[in-house]
Amino acid sequence: MNMLDRPQALVPADPPSSAMAARVSGELSFQSRRMVVEWWAVLAIATLAIIGISLVSPPVRADNLVYDLILRLNPPPASQRVLIVAIDNRSQSEIGRWPWNRDVHARLIDQLGTAGAEAIGYDVLFPEPSAPTGDAALAASLARSGKVVLASYIEVPGPNGAPALRVPPAPDLARAARASGHVTTRPDRDGVVRGIDILSDAQGRRDRHMSESLAALVTGDTGLLAAAVPEAEAPVYARSRNLIPFAGPSGTYPQLSFVDVLEGRVPAEVIRGRVILVGATAAGMGDRFSTPMSGTLETMAGVELHANYVDSLLSGRMIRPVPGLVWLGYSLLPVWALMMSLLFLGPRINLWLGIALAFAVFFVSMVALAIFRVWLPPALALIAIGLIYPLWGWRRLDLASRYMVAELRELRSEPDVLPRQRQVLQGDPVEKQIVLMHEAIRDVRDLRQFIAQSLDSLPDAAVVSDLEGQVVIANDAADALFAARLPGALLGRPLSDLFRALDFDPRLPDPRAVELLAAMQARTLPPDSGYETRLADGTSLEIRVAFFTDAERRPLGWISRFADITELRASERQREDALRLLTHDMRAPQASILAVLEAEGHKVPPELARRLERYAHQTLGLADDFVHLARAESGRFMAEGFNLSEAVLDAVDDLWPLADAKRIRIVSDVPEEEAWVTGDRALLTRAVTNLIGNAIKYSDERTRVEARVRVTTSKVIVEIADEGRGIAAEDLGKLFEPFRRLAPPEGAPAAAAAPGAGLGLAFVKAVVERHRGRVTVTSEEGKGSVFGLELPREKSAD
């Protein structure tokens, strides 16, 4: 086959030696294994680093920034059920300097009770007794109300080396109040208060916060109010933390001035049914805290912080931090996903996937906090994603660079295809890499020039065009072919001009050329396409077109070959003349002889007539066998898909009279599964007929011939078994030679001397091999033979 018959190669590449193939395969396998090992190493290091950071120094500040941002973007609505009575600057101005007499607080509690307040949280510390009349008045008011929660505080550490000291309200007041609770608030490391610690002692007894006691009073949770409290100096442990979903900055919850409520200036309807928090907001009084909702300089009074806490407890919208293991898994999952993609996908996809994973982590944390009130800290996962991609990218680049340098060095050490001078490698590693790359590029350019020159040396005209059909390379034979047909150079011309120049009449384009060009433009050209044409000067051309691809199997252009087959067609005509001689000039006399012998009244003696008839039939059979063998060896088939089992059954039916004449039983064994093959049905049927006919011809009377078909995953197998005399082992290799007939053994029966010219098995072998199959034979003298043919199986008739 000419090299341009190949659909996807310009120059046929020599098959690499086994050593070279093994080296390349081994190197790629080693690099692949090394990359996998490094991938596992990076994955393990990243996993251990994330676990270590989560245990030792989690990125709390970064998480807090994200938390604050999400909370500010989606604050919950402030409940109008909560009302603050503020000890503000105006109250101090009208009532007097702080601290006030406790009977003032008693009067306020009475006013709130009279107005119908649902519950009162009093964020004012009364740790020590004061004037007896004031304490008595306040205790009486607390007792009358029955729904006041007083504030206490916890000192950590306590005095005199104690781990802690719980300071409750004065005893008379504590007994009169409905409940009490601490107002201790611990900001985060950045000084911002985001939640309230859940405190308890070593036995798990809770230190209730004032807001928690107030919420329990409102909801009727008597169990929490009646629960045992820790001892005064018992150690304090922060078991967990309640994150507060702040409703807004300072001033979000409605406030009333202390003095306005005290003097009865506020309508009772404003207070009735509301949860009241009393606390200081005046300048210089009480604690003020920075919260996620605070601005640059803005702070929030402690009583407002408690209002947010109470509102969140009553509305059931407290933010729940996920457990540590869940957070760790949430941080590891996107890292593992990115690592999996880094192993299997390309850098660009991995870059976008890494960005998408980072956005997904942030989005999940935002949705969980904004909608489900669950806090999933995202910073650790985001930091890991941001570090993993460049780290693995660096490892891949380093590995690719080392592999490239190793391959370039190996390429440099191989024998040169073209003579050249090599530069001495010296200098730093980067300079050496540049030298190696420069030499490789130069080799490619020189090799391209060499290929172009090799193309010029081809005897057939060859043209290379791009996907748009513009000629980019044309060899000398192509220039010579089209020199008298097209003016100017071929380069840059449309391929359609070349086809049009070969038309017998330029005004009438060859429809085959038009169809071929249309298929090329639509990218639907089969791998081996073309046609034959005859030029005006009598030259016969075979035109073949095939596409070629890059390393990624993407089409790059077209290779067109214009082969002069004038001499080939002349020799084929001579072959056809010889076949016509055999089929007509030799058959006609024999047919005439048979016609004379079959006519009544001929004067040929009977014995001579029988001999002449036998000789005529033998001559006709020889001519038929020769014609069929020549057709099989020519390779010109009428290919179609068909069931080979049907061909076997047809052959058995055709030869049944011959077998019946010798009283030989023919048994056919075909599977229910269809044995689809592709090929010339007539030739394959005749090949099977020849095998069965030989089995009948060389078998004794009253024996058995079996024709069976077997189907495997990839093959269809036909076997013809007989019970004849068998074949010697040394003669098996001669069976399929043309005109080869084995001499019958001494004393063999008459069947062994059956007539024939020795072309039947040669025909079988030629047909089967032309159909990409093979012929087999096994035999044992005295027991019979098994002839088989194997053909590629097709899945269906298509």
Side-chain angles (χ1 to χ4, degrees), residues 216-279:
L217 178 61
V218 173
T219 58
D221 187 357
T222 57
L224 180 62
L225 296 175
V229 297
E231 297 177 357
E233 295 186 356
V236 178
Y237 299 95
R239 301 294 183 182
S240 59
R241 189 171 176 82
N242 276 343
L243 297 177
I244 303 173
F246 289 89
S250 179
T252 300
Y253 287 91
Q255 297 184 15
L256 298 176
S257 179
F258 187 101
V259 68
D260 289 339
V261 177
L262 182 66
E263 299 298 334
R265 303 170 190 164
V266 178
E269 293 77 11
V270 177
I271 299 173
R272 184 176 297 114
R274 303 179 81 169
V275 178
I276 307 300
L277 281 163
V278 181

Side-chain angles (χ1 to χ4, degrees), residues 55 168 184 224 258 296 306 336 413 461 479 486 585 622 668 684 699 719 764 797:
L55 296 175
T184 303
L224 180 62
F258 187 101
T296 306
H306 302 325
W336 290 344
S413 65
D479 291 334
L486 285 175
D585 297 349
L622 177 62
S668 57
L684 287 174
S699 294
E719 293 179 336
V764 172

Side-chain angles (χ1 to χ4, degrees), residues 629 632-633 690 735-739 758-768:
L629 178 62
E633 290 179 343
N690 282 2
L735 290 176
F736 300 98
E737 298 178 6
F739 305 104
L759 294 177
L761 291 180
F763 167 79
V764 172
K765 185 173 185 294
V767 169
V768 173

